[in-house]
Amino acid sequence: MTPPTPDLIPAPRSVGTPTPDGPLLDAGTVLWAGPGTGTTERALRATLGAAFGLALPPGPADTPGAVRLLVDDTLPPEGYRLTTRAADGVEIRGGDPAGVFWGAQTLRQLLGPHAFRRAPVAPGGPPRLPELTVEDAPRFRWRGVMLDVARHFMPKDGVLRHLDLMAAHKLNVFHFHLTDDQGWRVEIARWPKLTATGSWRARTKFGHRASPLWEEKPHGGFYTQDDIREIVAYAAERHITVVPEIDVPGHSQAAISAYPELGNTDVIDTASLSVWDSWGVSPNVLAPTDNTLRFYEGVFEELLGLFPSEFVHIGGDECPKDQWRRSPAAQARITELGLGDEDGLQSWFVRHFDTWLADRGRRLIGWDEILEGGLAPGATVSSWRGYAGGIAAARSGHDVVMCPEQHVYLDHRQDGGADEPVPIGYVRTLEDVYRFEPVPPQLTPEEARHVLGTQANLWTEVMENPARVDYQAFPRLVALAEVAWSALPAPAERDFDGFERRMTAHYRRLDALGVGYRPPTGPAPWQRRPGVLGRPIEGAPPNR
C-alpha cells in the first residue's frame, strides 16, 4: 500500500510520491557530514539521539543506510533536497549550511511526533521512513518572530526554548525587543543603572490598561552580556539571526528612570520617574540633546559587540511629541538644525543613528513611524500600522518587513468567544493568518523585491508567563511560518482545509514539544482568565 503524502509544515515546493519500506534508522546507522554541515550534524545527534536513543556515529558516506549531509551550491540559498532510499539511506543536500539544517527539520517531521521528544518513548525506536524526495526552498529571506521581553520578562531558558520552536518551523529571524517604558532587559556595562534601576517595576497592571486589577509585587529581570552571547550563539547553531531592538526616542521611560538627564528636564521632574507599571504609550520621551546621543551611542557600541546581525532595530514608534513642543531646549534644537517641526526632530534622531550604524557596517531598521519627517537614507521599515508604510517605503526604494497589526499581531485574540483570555484587538483566527499575504498587490515587481519578508509580533502586556506566550503564538505561528516559507497561491485560493488536515498531525508534534497551544475547540479551563479586562475590537480589521 502506498503511504499517504507526509503532513509536512511548512508545505514544501515538491514532494515525490512516497513508497513504503524506505530506510530505517537504528543502532547501526552512521552519520556522514560534509564540509559546512556541522550545525546539522550536531542537531541530528542532539534531537534524534535524545528522542530515539540513536548514537549516529560518524562513518563513511558509502555505508549502507547512512545519513549523509552535504552542501551543494547548485541548490538555492536555504534550499534543500532530501532523499530517502532503502538501499542508500538518507541524503540531505543544501544550497548552503542553512539549507542542510532546514532539510533536517523535514526529516524530523517524517520520523513522526516522537522525534520531537527529549527521551525515547516509542517502542522499537524510530519508524521506517517512506521512500521519497522532497525539494524545497523558502519564498522569503526574512521569516521572523518579534518577542517582547520588556513588558513581561522571559528568563533565558524560555528564550532558548523559543528559538528551538522557531527552528522547528524554519523561522530564521528572532527580533528581540529588549527595552520599553516597562523595563530594560540587557546589561550595558558603562551604564549599570539601566539594569540596576530600569530592569524592574514595583507592580504590574493585570489585563488591559483600563483594568482595575494589579499584581502587587515587583516584576523584572535582565540578560547579562554572557546570557546574550549564549542566546546569539544558540540561535546561530539553528541558523537564526537575532536582531536586537533598543527603543528610541519614545518608549524610553525605563531608561529615563535610571538616568533622569536623558529626559526633558526643562519640562518635567524626570528624577521623580520610575519604571512604568501600566501599559500604553508613555509621554516621557528622550531629550534631543548631544548628551542623549552620546549615551545611546555607548549603548549601541556594546550591542554591536554582542549581536553580529546585519540589522539593528531602533524602535522609532509611538513617540509623543508634547514634551518636545513644551521644551525650550527641544524647540531651540529644531530652530538650530532647521528641522521645521517635531516630526523633523524625530527624523533627525533616526537619521543620526542610521548614519552611525552605517559607518560601522550595520543597517538600521525601525517601525514605520520612522517615515514621519523623511526616511533616513539607508533605513529599513517594519510596517506595522497596516500595509501603507511598507508600500510607501518600498516605492521609495527602501527595504521592508511586513508585519501589519491587523494580520500578524499575535497578541490579538484568536476567537470572539467569551472564554478567550484577556481579549485584545481584532479576531485573528488561524485561517486569517494563513490567508495573510506579505506582498501588497499595489507594488510593481521591482518594488516588491524590497519586501524582505514577514514576521509575527508577540507583544506581552497581557502575556504574564511563557504559557500565555505559547497560547497566543500557537497554532497561528505555524500558519505564519508557512506563509513566510512556502510558495502559496493568492490568499483566497489557498487550501486552508488541507492546511488544517496537516495541522491535525502537527498538533501531535506540538504536544511532544510541550507547547501550550490554543486547542481548535477553544481554550482549556486553565488557559482562561475570567474577569480580566481586555480590549476587544469588533468587526473586520481594516485592510490598508
Side-chain angles (χ1 to χ4, degrees):
M1 184 179 79
T2 301
T5 302
D7 294 313
L8 299 175
I9 290 179
R13 292 190 177 185
S14 171
V15 181
T17 302
T19 59
D21 299 326
L24 178 66
L25 306 186
D26 57 24
T29 302
V30 302
L31 174 60
W32 179 82
T37 66
T39 55
T40 304
E41 178 186 15
R42 291 186 288 274
L44 287 177
R45 288 206 177 100
T47 56
L48 301 188
F52 297 118
L54 296 174
L56 296 176
D62 59 358
T63 303
V67 176
R68 296 181 300 281
L69 311 174
L70 62 158
V71 173
D72 179 349
D73 61 10
T74 66
L75 297 173
E78 295 193 88
Y80 66 89
R81 181 185 300 119
L82 167 64
T83 305
T84 62
R85 294 287 180 268
D88 301 326
V90 176
E91 180 178 277
I92 305 174
R93 292 176 176 263
D96 52 17
V100 180
F101 184 81
W102 303 133
Q105 304 313 307
T106 298
L107 173 64
R108 200 176 175 196
Q109 291 194 12
L110 290 173
L111 286 165
H114 290 318
F116 294 85
R117 295 192 178 274
R118 297 185 185 182
V121 298
R128 184 175 295 277
L129 289 160
E131 283 201 348
L132 83 171
T133 298
V134 179
E135 297 199 37
D136 204 4
R139 180 185 179 191
F140 292 112
R141 58 172 282 203
W142 187 299
R143 308 181 302 278
V145 184
M146 190 285 305
L147 178 65
D148 165 26
V149 296
R151 274 48 176 267
H152 277 102
F153 179 66
M154 181 176 285
K156 181 192 68 180
D157 284 354
V159 175
L160 301 181
R161 173 181 177 271
H162 185 77
L163 292 168
D164 282 335
L165 294 176
M166 288 180 61
H169 294 89
K170 301 186 175 76
L171 295 163
N172 69 342
V173 178
F174 176 44
H175 176 172
F176 205 8
H177 183 82
L178 289 164
T179 73
D180 219 295
D181 298 309
Q182 295 86 1
W184 185 285
R185 305 295 179 212
V186 57
E187 176 189 24
I188 302 297
R190 73 189 70 185
W191 308 122
K193 287 193 288 186
L194 286 172
T195 48
T197 299
S199 70
W200 69 276
R201 56 184 181 262
R203 63 177 187 168
T204 298
K205 177 70 71 172
F206 194 46
H208 182 254
R209 61 181 175 270
S211 168
L213 304 176
W214 293 88
E215 186 178 44
E216 296 285 356
K217 67 179 183 180
H219 176 87
F222 66 93
Y223 309 102
T224 68
Q225 294 201 358
D226 279 345
D227 290 337
I228 294 293
R229 292 184 183 99
E230 181 183 358
I231 288 166
V232 169
Y234 195 87
E237 273 285 300
R238 288 147 184 79
H239 296 276
I240 295 170
T241 298
V242 184
V243 175
E245 180 181 352
I246 301 294
D247 247 315
V248 295
H251 286 290
S252 297
Q253 184 165 324
I256 296 168
S257 74
Y259 292 94
E261 65 271 22
L262 297 174
N264 295 283
T265 57
D266 56 347
V267 175
I268 64 162
D269 176 15
T270 56
S272 68
L273 294 177
S274 59
V275 177
W276 210 20
D277 58 10
S278 191
W279 313 129
V281 180
S282 169
N284 297 300
V285 303
L286 298 175
T289 64
D290 289 340
N291 174 67
T292 300
L293 296 181
R294 301 294 87 77
F295 183 98
Y296 276 88
E297 286 171 0
V299 169
F300 284 118
E301 280 177 8
E302 294 194 27
L303 284 179
L304 295 191
L306 298 170
F307 296 94
S309 56
E310 175 185 4
F311 292 93
V312 175
H313 208 293
I314 58 93
D317 63 318
E318 296 180 323
C319 179
K321 310 291 194 302
D322 181 63
Q323 289 185 359
W324 288 352
R325 292 186 186 98
R326 295 188 289 125
S327 164
Q331 292 302 310
R333 196 91 210 221
I334 291 171
T335 301
E336 170 198 347
L337 298 171
L339 298 175
D341 59 16
E342 292 76 21
D343 284 345
L345 190 59
Q346 178 168 346
S347 179
W348 164 81
F349 206 107
V350 172
R351 285 171 181 268
H352 175 85
F353 285 103
D354 181 64
T355 301
W356 190 91
L357 288 166
D359 288 345
R360 289 155 181 79
R362 306 298 185 96
R363 295 180 65 185
L364 178 146
I365 183 169
W367 303 109
D368 56 50
E369 284 94 333
I370 67 174
L371 289 160
E372 296 168 5
L375 194 59
T380 297
V381 170
S382 299
S383 187
W384 77 273
R385 293 181 295 179
Y387 286 109
I391 292 170
R395 284 177 172 168
S396 60
H398 290 268
D399 288 340
V400 178
V401 175
M402 283 292 184
C403 50
E405 175 185 19
Q406 304 90 333
H407 298 277
V408 291
Y409 269 36
L410 301 187
D411 49 312
H412 282 216
R413 57 194 171 131
Q414 303 184 63
D415 187 86
D419 287 334
E420 208 62 30
V422 200
I424 299 294
Y426 297 102
V427 173
R428 293 285 83 193
T429 66
L430 181 66
E431 181 172 2
D432 291 329
V433 175
Y434 190 68
R435 296 194 189 279
F436 164 61
E437 172 50 49
V439 179
Q442 301 95 317
L443 296 181
T444 67
E446 180 62 32
E447 292 164 346
R449 279 192 274 273
H450 285 290
V451 179
L452 301 180
T454 184
Q455 69 180 37
N457 292 339
L458 285 161
W459 299 104
T460 61
E461 286 94 336
V462 299
M463 300 182 215
E464 71 276 9
N465 56 43
R468 284 284 291 122
V469 175
D470 273 10
Y471 180 91
Q472 292 299 134
F474 290 97
R476 293 180 297 178
L477 188 58
V478 182
L480 187 279
E482 181 147 311
V483 167
W485 177 278
S486 305
L488 299 176
E493 300 166 8
R494 292 177 188 171
D495 180 11
F496 180 69
D497 289 342
F499 177 75
E500 276 198 309
R501 176 186 56 75
R502 287 181 287 125
M503 277 301 303
T504 300
H506 199 70
Y507 284 122
R508 296 180 63 207
R509 299 176 190 132
L510 296 178
D511 288 334
L513 286 164
V515 176
Y517 57 84
R518 181 188 189 276
T521 54
W526 57 87
Q527 293 173 321
R528 300 168 190 164
R529 295 292 185 273
V532 180
L533 184 67
R535 184 183 62 91
I537 303 175
E538 301 303 330
N543 191 25
R544 59 178 189 273

